[in-house]
Amino acid sequence: SSSSSSSSSETEKRKDNRNKRSAMSFSSSQISIAVSACTLILALLFDQIRNKRRKKRLKDDQHKKIKDCGAFVEIVNIPCPPPPDKHAVRKLANLKFVLKDIFEVSGRKDKKDSSCGFGSPKWKEFMKAKKNISRSGNNDKKVKNAAIVDILLKNGASLVGITHMDELAYSIDGQNEHYGAPMNPAADKRLPGGSSSGSAVAVASSLRECDFGIGTDSAGSVRVPAAYCGVFGFRPSHGMVSTSGCQDFAKTFDTVGWFAKGSKILKDVGDVLLNPADDEKYGIKEPKQFAILTDLMKLADPQGSAAVASALKAFGYDDKYAGKVSKLDLGERLKMLCPSLRTDTSGKTGLELIRDKMHATMGFEIHEALKEFLAFLEKQDGDNNTTITKKTRSLGKFTAQRIENAKKITEQDYENLMKVRGEIREVMDQIMDNGTVLIFPTVPSVAPLREGRSEEGVQSCRMKTFQFLAIASFCGLPQVTIPLRYPDAEGPHSVSLLGGFQTDKMLLECAFKYSVQMQEYFPNYVLTELMKSNPAPKVPGEEEKLEGNKAFAEGKYENAISWYDKALEKKKLPVYYANRALVYLKMGKMEEVEKDCTEALEMDSKYVKAYLRRAKARMILGSFLEAAMDYEEALRFEPTNREARSEMANMQKHLEGGAMDASMPNDDLELAKSFI
C-alpha cells in the first residue's frame, strides 16, 4: 500500500515536470517567433530607410547633374597669381576657364597628386601604383601643372573646374560608360560630342561663369563637341601649343584645343597659347582663295550647304573674293596625286581611305601609349586570358573593342602608314601653300540622339563624321569651328575653316572678323537649301502652263491658248490669266487682253506684268487715261520699271502731238497728261 502510494506520487511528479517542460517549451517557441518577427520588421525598416536614402542620393545626384549638366569631375578654385607689375595688362585678366581631365593640375583635392583622371575610374589607381614604383627608385616627381595651365594662369585667367571626358579620350560622342554623358545645353535630347565633352558643355552653359574651356583634339575631340554644343572651337596646328603635362594619347596627332562662346575670347586665348609661327614660310595674314570641298558637301545635310554659303557670302565671294572661290573634290585629288592611294583597289573614296589610314596610324600610337595601363588592368583582374571580356573588363565595351582593333596594327604596318601619311601631307602642302582656305561643314549634321540608336547606326554615323575630321588630324593642320543657328532647329550647326600649317592666327582672325555676318546670312540660306531639298508640291495646272509657255516660245499661239485654257480649268491663278493675255496681245485680240489682265489683277492687285499688258492693250484701243493709270500703278510697285517709263514717254509724245481717240473728252485728255 505504501509502495503503491509512493509510486502514485512519483507518477504525479513526473506529470507535473512534463507539464512544466511543455509550458517552458511553448514559451520559448513563442519568444523565438516574436524575435524572428521583430528581426524581420527591423530589417524591413532598415531596408526602407536605405531605399529612401538611396532615392534621395540619386535625386540629389540628378539635381546636381541637371544643375551643372554633368560637366564637372571636380570643382576647383585656382586663382591667377598677382601680376609682376601692378600696371601690367594681362590678355586674359578676369577670365575664368575649365580644364579637361587629361592635364596635370596641382591644387586638386589630393594635394599630393596632380595626375588626371583620363575618363577612367582605374586611371588614378594606375598612376598611384606607377608613382609608388618611381618612389622606390628615388625618382619622386613633384606635384606640378601642365604647361598650358601655368601659361593661362600667368596671363590672368583663373581655373574653376575640371571637366569630364570620354574614356581614355577614345570617342567623339561624349558618352562615357562609367560616368554617363554630360547634358548638351543646346539640344538636351542629343549628345554633347567628345572626347572633350565636359569643357564644351561648361562653356555652352557658362557654368561657374567660365569664359573658355580647354580640351584636346587628336581626331576631332574639340571640333565635334564645339559643333554639337554650338560654341566656337579651335584645333591648332600640331606642335603649335605645348602638350607638356597632358596625358599622351596618339603622340603625332595630339593637340591642345579650346572652346569659347565668342570669337574675341577664342582669339585672345590663341594669342596667349600659340607658339610663334615661322613667318618667312607661313606668314599668311589673310586667305588668298577658298575651296569648297564637294565630296564633303555630298555627305552633309542641307544646313551644311547653307553654312558654307553663309561663310562665302560673309567673306565676299561676289566682291573681294570674286573669282577666287573654287570647287575641289579633295579625296579624288589626293587619290590621283598620292601613289599609295592611286593603286588602291578597294573601291573606297579618297576621304574614306584617309579616314581608315588615320584610324590605323592612331591605333598603333594609342596602344603604345596605353600598354602599361592595360598591363596594370590585366594584373588587377588576375586573369591572363586574352579575350576582351576578361582582359579588359575594367574598360567600357566600345573602348575595349577599339583597343583590341588597335592591337592588330604591327610596327611594319605603322611604318607603311607613315609613308602614306607623308605623301598625303606633301600634296596637301601644295594645295594649301598659296593661302588657300578650305570651307566645309564641321560635321555631317546636328548631334546624334542620346537614346534609341542601334550599334550599326552609331558606327555608320561615326565613320561618316571621321571623313570630315581626318584631313586636319592626319596632316596636322589648324581648323576653326564657327557655330551657326536658325529658328526651330533640332540643334546647332557650324562651318569650319581649315588652313595651311601654322596659319592658326589667320584662321582665328577670320572667325573674329566674319562670324557675325555668317550668322546673319545663315537663316535665309537654310530656307533656300531646304526648299531645294524639299520642293513644294506642284500647283494644279502647272504642267499645262509650262506646255503653254513652250508653245508660245515656238510661235504656236493657238496651241498656247489651248494649254492656258486647260490650266485655268484646273485652277484659276493670276499667272495663267496673264500668260494667256500675253498670247492674245501677240494675236492682236486687245479686248481679250484687257479682260484677262483685269481677272488677274482682281486676284493680285500688285501684279505688275498684268498692269503693263493691260496698259498696252488700252493704248492700242485708244483708252489713254486708263492706260496711263495702269502704267502709274506699275511704277508705284516697281519705280524703276523700264517698260512702264518708256511707254509713258511714248504716250506723252502722242498726246502732245494731238494723237488721241476722237471720242476722248478733253477732260480725260488733260487727266491723261497730268498722269504722265
Side-chain angles (χ1 to χ4, degrees):
S1 155
S2 65
S3 129
S4 123
S5 67
S6 171
S7 173
S8 172
S9 66
E10 285 179 7
T11 303
E12 290 295 329
K13 282 180 182 179
R14 281 198 294 271
K15 283 182 179 179
D16 287 343
N17 287 337
R18 276 199 302 270
N19 289 336
K20 284 179 183 178
R21 280 199 300 271
S22 176
M24 287 177 66
S25 174
F26 181 72
S27 299
S28 298
S29 175
Q30 283 184 321
I31 291 167
S32 177
I33 291 168
V35 169
S36 298
C38 288
T39 304
L40 181 62
I41 290 166
L42 286 171
L44 289 170
L45 283 171
F46 280 125
D47 195 48
Q48 284 180 354
I49 291 167
R50 209 166 32 242
N51 284 336
K52 282 183 180 179
R53 286 178 177 172
R54 181 173 170 274
K55 285 178 181 178
K56 185 178 183 301
R57 189 168 62 251
L58 288 171
K59 189 176 180 180
D60 290 344
D61 289 346
Q62 185 65 22
H63 179 71
K64 180 178 178 294
K65 188 166 186 178
I66 290 169
K67 190 176 177 182
D68 69 7
C69 297
F72 292 113
V73 172
E74 185 180 329
I75 299 298
V76 297
N77 286 291
I78 303 177
C80 61
D85 176 3
K86 64 180 181 179
H87 299 296
V89 177
R90 297 193 285 185
K91 195 85 174 180
L92 306 178
N94 302 316
L95 297 185
K96 297 176 181 178
F97 73 100
V98 295
L99 187 75
K100 182 177 182 178
D101 194 17
I102 196 172
F103 296 93
E104 291 185 351
V105 183
S106 63
R108 295 184 68 163
K109 286 178 184 175
D110 188 344
K111 303 295 182 184
K112 296 180 181 180
D113 184 13
S114 62
S115 63
C116 65
F118 207 30
S120 167
K122 292 290 185 180
W123 187 262
K124 281 274 188 184
E125 291 180 42
F126 163 65
M127 292 303 290
K128 283 180 182 177
K130 191 175 178 182
K131 191 176 287 187
N132 290 335
I133 294 170
S134 297
R135 280 176 184 161
S136 65
N138 297 318
N139 187 23
D140 194 9
K141 287 187 177 181
K142 290 183 179 180
V143 176
K144 62 177 184 178
N145 287 329
I148 59 117
V149 175
D150 283 334
I151 293 169
L152 294 171
L153 294 172
K154 182 181 175 183
N155 280 274
S158 299
L159 177 59
V160 296
I162 309 298
T163 56
H164 272 296
M165 58 178 285
D166 294 15
E167 186 178 19
L168 307 179
Y170 216 163
S171 171
I172 58 168
D173 281 345
Q175 289 180 308
N176 187 310
E177 291 180 59
H178 306 288
Y179 306 120
M183 187 182 296
N184 184 341
D188 59 5
K189 289 183 173 61
R190 297 181 178 274
L191 291 170
S195 62
S196 309
S197 54
S199 291
V201 165
V203 170
S205 293
S206 300
L207 299 176
R208 305 259 307 143
E209 298 179 341
C210 69
D211 300 286
F212 65 95
I214 301 296
T216 58
D217 189 311
S218 302
S221 292
V222 164
R223 290 165 284 167
V224 173
Y228 287 176
C229 293
V231 294
F232 287 87
F234 187 68
R235 174 220 150 83
S237 297
H238 187 262
M240 281 292 281
V241 177
S242 173
T243 56
S244 175
C246 175
Q247 174 57 44
D248 285 343
F249 179 59
K251 61 183 179 181
T252 66
F253 293 83
D254 295 345
T255 66
V256 174
W258 54 95
F259 306 93
K261 258 196 168 180
S263 57
K264 174 67 166 60
I265 291 178
L266 190 82
K267 179 175 173 292
D268 288 346
V269 174
D271 288 340
V272 165
L273 289 182
L274 288 164
N275 294 325
D278 181 356
D279 281 343
E280 288 186 14
K281 188 174 182 182
Y282 306 109
I284 297 168
K285 304 299 180 188
E286 62 178 19
K288 298 294 188 294
Q289 59 189 20
F290 296 98
I292 304 168
L293 300 188
T294 55
D295 38 359
L296 288 181
M297 299 302 288
K298 292 173 186 174
L299 299 175
D301 62 11
Q303 290 88 338
S305 298
V308 170
S310 302
L312 290 171
K313 178 68 174 174
F315 279 113
Y317 73 90
D318 52 355
D319 182 17
K320 182 179 177 181
Y321 286 98
K324 296 180 181 178
V325 178
S326 59
K327 292 182 178 181
L328 173 65
D329 188 326
L330 183 59
E332 286 307 303
R333 175 74 65 86
L334 291 170
K335 276 184 80 172
M336 184 172 63
L337 297 178
C338 297
S340 300
L341 299 182
R342 193 164 55 236
T343 55
D344 179 81
T345 57
S346 67
K348 291 182 178 180
T349 67
L351 291 182
E352 286 172 334
L353 290 173
I354 294 162
R355 172 202 65 198
D356 293 349
K357 294 188 184 304
M358 178 195 78
H359 277 155
T361 309
M362 284 188 73
F364 182 84
E365 293 183 7
I366 292 165
H367 189 257
E368 287 295 305
L370 296 177
K371 262 184 179 178
E372 286 184 56
F373 177 60
L374 295 173
F376 168 79
L377 293 183
E378 185 177 347
K379 185 178 179 182
Q380 260 205 346
D381 291 340
D383 195 332
N384 291 323
N385 195 310
T386 56
T387 62
I388 293 177
T389 53
K390 291 186 178 178
K391 185 174 181 182
T392 55
R393 65 179 65 165
S394 300
L395 298 174
K397 176 183 174 182
F398 296 110
T399 306
Q401 287 174 351
R402 287 163 197 154
I403 287 172
E404 284 298 310
N405 289 332
K407 280 175 56 180
K408 299 171 185 174
I409 311 300
T410 65
E411 284 192 27
Q412 185 59 56
D413 291 333
Y414 182 68
E415 286 180 21
N416 295 336
L417 287 163
M418 290 300 280
K419 288 177 185 176
V420 177
R421 190 181 191 184
E423 291 176 10
I424 293 169
R425 284 187 166 190
E426 189 175 337
V427 175
M428 283 301 298
D429 283 345
Q430 293 169 10
I431 293 170
M432 309 301 291
D433 226 13
N434 52 1
T436 299
V437 169
L438 308 183
I439 302 186
F440 53 94
T442 309
V443 289
S445 61
V446 293
L449 292 168
R450 293 173 75 96
E451 306 291 343
R453 296 193 302 158
S454 65
E455 285 192 23
E456 293 77 13
V458 170
Q459 185 66 3
S460 173
C461 177
R462 182 179 163 83
M463 290 297 100
K464 183 191 278 191
T465 303
F466 273 119
Q467 293 184 62
F468 289 73
L469 305 171
I471 293 298
S473 295
F474 208 43
C475 299
L477 301 178
Q479 183 176 331
V480 64
T481 298
I482 299 169
L484 298 168
R485 295 173 183 269
Y486 72 95
D488 302 319
E490 294 176 332
H493 291 269
S494 65
V495 67
S496 270
L497 308 177
L498 188 150
F501 188 63
Q502 291 193 1
T503 59
D504 303 61
K505 290 195 173 182
M506 183 260 285
L507 292 182
L508 290 170
E509 186 68 26
C510 285
F512 175 62
K513 281 185 178 178
Y514 299 103
S515 58
V516 172
Q517 292 154 283
M518 292 180 195
Q519 178 56 62
E520 286 176 5
Y521 295 130
F522 183 60
N524 286 336
Y525 277 113
V526 168
L527 287 176
T528 303
E529 291 298 326
L530 289 176
M531 286 174 69
K532 285 182 188 175
S533 59
N534 299 296
K538 286 186 177 179
V539 178
E542 180 68 17
E543 291 181 6
E544 288 77 9
K545 184 200 81 169
L546 293 175
E547 289 293 334
N549 293 352
K550 183 180 176 184
F552 174 73
E554 294 171 352
K556 300 174 181 177
Y557 299 142
E558 293 292 347
N559 287 348
I561 294 292
S562 176
W563 282 115
Y564 292 136
D565 288 344
K566 290 175 183 176
L568 285 162
E569 285 172 11
K570 289 192 173 181
K571 191 172 181 69
K572 298 190 184 308
L573 291 175
V575 66
Y576 300 165
Y577 279 114
N579 282 14
R580 190 170 70 176
L582 181 60
V583 183
Y584 282 138
L585 195 63
K586 289 288 185 182
M587 297 171 72
K589 297 182 178 182
M590 301 306 152
E591 291 85 357
E592 299 298 329
V593 175
E594 188 174 20
K595 181 182 174 184
D596 273 0
C597 288
T598 300
E599 289 281 358
L601 289 166
E602 283 178 2
M603 296 178 185
D604 182 0
S605 62
K606 297 180 181 180
Y607 199 166
V608 172
K609 287 182 179 178
Y611 281 119
L612 295 175
R613 289 166 191 173
R614 189 171 71 174
K616 187 163 283 191
R618 284 176 168 177
M619 275 186 66
I620 294 170
L621 291 170
S623 301
F624 295 112
L625 174 58
E626 288 83 355
M629 291 172 70
D630 279 346
Y631 284 128
E632 182 72 16
E633 284 297 296
L635 287 169
R636 187 159 70 88
F637 296 117
E638 290 184 14
T640 59
N641 190 285
R642 291 182 180 180
E643 183 181 345
R645 288 188 174 280
S646 174
E647 291 298 338
M648 290 281 272
N650 290 336
M651 279 183 66
Q652 187 174 15
K653 289 177 186 177
H654 285 299
L655 292 169
E656 287 175 351
M660 59 179 179
D661 188 4
S663 62
M664 188 177 186
N666 286 332
D667 289 347
D668 284 0
L669 175 60
E670 292 305 317
L671 274 170
K673 285 182 177 179
S674 71
F675 267 96
I676 296 167

